[in-house]
Amino acid sequence: MLLLAGETLDVLPGETVLDCLVRHQVEVKSGCKAGACQSCLVRTNNVPPAKSQKGLRQDLIDRGYFMSCQCSADELAEIELADTEVFPSYEANLIQVDQLAPNIFRYWLSPESPIPFRLGQFVKLKYHAVERCYSIAEERDGMLGFHVRLIEDGAMSLLLRHAKQGGSFTITGPLGNCSYQAKSKEQPLLLVGSSTGLAPLYGILKDALCAGHSGPIALYHGAADATGIYLQSELLQLADNHPNFSYVPCTDVEQDEFRTGSPVTISLSDLPDLTGYQVYICGNPAMSRAMQKKAFLAGANLADLFMDPFEAQ
Amino acid sequence: MLETQSESLFAKLGGSAAVDAAVDKFYRRVLADDRVNRFFEGVDMDKQATKQKAFLTMAFGGPNNYTGLDMKKGHEHLLKMGMDDTHFDAIVENLGATLKDMGVADELIAQVAATAETTREAVMGRI
């Protein structure tokens, strides 16, 4: 017997979870049926066999995803389809708002109960029926810090502009795999972000330094102009205290104290060979995808590329 | 049936560990190859890499259950983009070059190319 969304599916001897779903006319994709292509992922709260999770991204493994072609239907009690995953939600209150730049603010939220998360992962924040995704950039005394760029006419921006201390939010998550996960303390790290794409990178950087990461860490933060470069003094301070950390702010328009150009172009001209590197990328989707491809072509392995694209809305 | 032969090819190449070692090298070559990289524009790289892994597993004579129909369906959109036999040749060439870089013997490379060749008619939508 296999339980799927409250329905009981009968199981034939020796059939895989995939066979069983197909036989019951449940729509599920498949490809190689040999545990290579990962087309047939489904989720379980039971413990799937190791071979059914071989080669999957760690965050998917942690969340119970497995290849349905590589698991006997009689090995599990319940499953759910891949696109129906429900993440836990937590109530949280707004404690404090700090201005970091003309249009960039840090919102400190205190959740009612502790949330298991890694800095750099993102959550869905719901406030007055509007929901947007934000990365967990910082943590302090049980509070979570989010970097938000308030944009003209953004539905969430309009609400947040007037958010008061004690305001009540719902946090859902965490999601994503953009968090510090170096294979060794010596592995070189490259962090590339645009605008508030700095948020997860700042969290990853803090985690890396906290863990005593000794390999080189280079952070390239890009913005349209100087008004988008934020947390500069904190980052300069960190670079002073950690000789293995270098911080390179870049702006599209020419400004005296910053490198001119995109963080993608500048980081790759400084570091043309990324063999062995782990690269973390966050920012607008076009920038993120371009960086992912260029970093791969520059020698970084796909498993060492972590990307968290987001749209300002 | 070439079952025993293909199993031994997979074993000789080093099994799934060899696939893991080859997949990034192969995909990187393909993306750098101006003859074929336009077919990979804008695709999700992680998803593409798992597809490459499934293809390599098959070409290495490893476990797979691909049917000609799967292959046909998976490449129909590329035919519309102008894919022809020369592009198929380029992919097989990149595969061979990847294996050569990894120090695989020519005789085994030929066997891998022959296995990949068995998918040509389906990929080109001629079955």
Side-chain angles (χ1 to χ4, degrees):
Chain A
M1 289 301 180
L2 195 56
L3 203 61
L4 170 72
E7 272 190 67
T8 307
L9 311 179
D10 66 284
V11 170
L12 298 178
E15 77 178 347
T16 64
V17 171
L18 178 62
D19 295 336
C20 181
L21 289 170
V22 170
R23 191 169 52 81
H24 286 91
Q25 286 155 19
V26 176
E27 195 140 326
V28 59
K29 283 199 202 117
S30 68
C32 71
K33 300 193 184 72
C37 75
Q38 299 181 16
S39 302
C40 63
L41 292 185
V42 296
R43 238 203 108 246
T44 181
N45 290 319
N46 311 142
V47 180
K51 72 165 181 169
S52 70
Q53 295 187 306
K54 193 180 170 297
L56 263 60
R57 256 175 34 196
Q58 190 56 46
D59 60 308
L60 294 175
I61 293 175
D62 293 345
R63 276 152 50 207
Y65 281 85
F66 68 98
M67 293 177 276
S68 57
C69 72
Q70 295 298 298
C71 175
S72 302
D74 58 11
E75 283 184 271
L76 300 173
E78 57 80 34
I79 57 164
E80 55 186 64
L81 298 179
D83 52 4
T84 57
E85 184 175 7
V86 178
F87 291 91
S89 286
Y90 308 82
E91 294 307 306
N93 292 100
L94 178 61
I95 303 295
Q96 188 184 325
V97 183
D98 310 320
Q99 184 163 21
L100 302 175
N103 291 314
I104 299 170
F105 295 81
R106 178 170 49 204
Y107 289 76
W108 289 103
L109 298 183
S110 176
E112 59 181 341
S113 59
I115 301 177
F117 72 91
R118 303 281 315 274
L119 284 172
Q121 286 190 291
F122 67 93
V123 297
K124 289 179 182 165
L125 283 190
K126 193 168 173 189
Y127 184 55
H128 288 303
V130 177
E131 191 168 56
R132 295 281 183 271
C133 293
Y134 296 101
S135 300
I136 307 169
E138 305 177 54
E139 181 190 24
R140 197 178 72 203
D141 310 327
M143 296 184 297
L144 306 182
F146 300 93
H147 302 164
V148 182
R149 190 164 67 98
L150 297 184
I151 51 177
E152 286 293 321
D153 304 328
M156 189 58 132
S157 295
L158 288 170
L159 288 169
L160 286 177
R161 223 179 271 280
H162 303 104
K164 295 273 183 295
Q165 200 179 18
S168 130
F169 287 72
T170 305
I171 297 179
T172 304
L175 303 101
N177 69 333
C178 219
S179 61
Y180 173 64
Q181 41 195 311
K183 292 195 173 74
S184 73
K185 298 259 193 293
E186 295 75 39
Q187 187 170 24
L189 308 181
L190 169 60
L191 317 178
V192 178
S194 62
S195 181
T196 44
L198 177 62
L201 305 181
Y202 193 70
I204 289 161
L205 170 68
K206 282 282 182 77
D207 258 356
L209 295 174
C210 218
H213 194 90
S214 58
I217 308 172
L219 167 63
Y220 289 77
H221 179 218
D225 55 39
T227 63
I229 298 293
Y230 68 100
L231 290 177
Q232 196 189 356
S233 58
E234 286 84 348
L235 288 162
L236 288 170
Q237 187 67 56
L238 287 171
D240 275 347
N241 296 343
H242 301 273
N244 61 324
F245 169 55
S246 58
Y247 162 58
V248 183
C250 356
T251 50
D252 295 337
V253 295
E254 215 167 316
Q255 316 234 231
D256 284 347
E257 53 179 320
F258 305 122
R259 300 268 294 273
T260 309
S262 104
V264 173
T265 316
I266 295 174
S267 62
L268 285 157
S269 75
D270 287 359
L271 303 165
D273 182 2
L274 295 176
T275 306
Y277 268 75
Q278 214 166 50
V279 186
Y280 296 88
I281 304 158
C282 187
N284 74 67
M287 184 289 288
S288 300
R289 278 196 293 270
M291 185 68 209
Q292 182 193 30
K293 192 166 170 178
K294 288 179 170 163
F296 179 59
L297 288 170
N301 280 331
L302 268 183
D304 282 320
L305 294 172
F306 302 93
M307 189 171 65
D308 185 7
F310 68 90
E311 296 276 11
Q313 47 179 355
Chain B
M1 193 53 211
L2 292 168
E3 201 54 43
T4 52
Q5 223 181 1
S6 68
E7 270 176 8
S8 70
L9 172 65
F10 192 58
K12 277 183 203 157
L13 287 163
S16 53
V19 173
D20 289 344
V23 68
D24 275 23
K25 294 182 171 72
F26 171 61
Y27 187 21
R28 194 175 286 124
R29 267 184 182 278
V30 168
L31 281 184
D33 183 344
D34 288 337
R35 292 172 299 174
V36 288
N37 54 15
R38 68 185 176 94
F39 297 112
F40 298 89
E41 278 297 322
V43 298
D44 179 317
M45 286 179 69
D46 290 320
K47 285 193 179 126
Q48 187 58 40
T50 55
K51 285 182 187 163
Q52 305 273 25
K53 203 167 144 187
F55 165 65
L56 291 179
T57 304
M58 187 208 67
F60 285 18
N64 76 89
N65 291 293
Y66 276 114
T67 64
L69 195 62
D70 292 330
M71 281 288 161
K72 186 177 168 158
K73 271 198 218 146
H75 294 89
E76 274 168 350
H77 65 294
L78 299 176
L79 285 171
K80 290 192 188 100
M81 287 171 69
M83 178 182 65
D84 61 30
D85 281 285
T86 63
H87 302 116
F88 189 96
D89 297 340
I91 295 291
V92 176
E93 187 189 308
N94 281 307
L95 178 53
T98 304
L99 295 175
K100 198 147 184 71
D101 272 359
M102 291 169 68
V104 175
D106 286 349
E107 170 216 348
L108 292 181
I109 295 176
Q111 285 184 48
V112 170
T115 314
E117 192 57 46
T118 61
T119 67
R120 183 187 294 264
E121 295 306 300
V123 168
M124 290 297 152
R126 291 191 291 253
I127 52 162

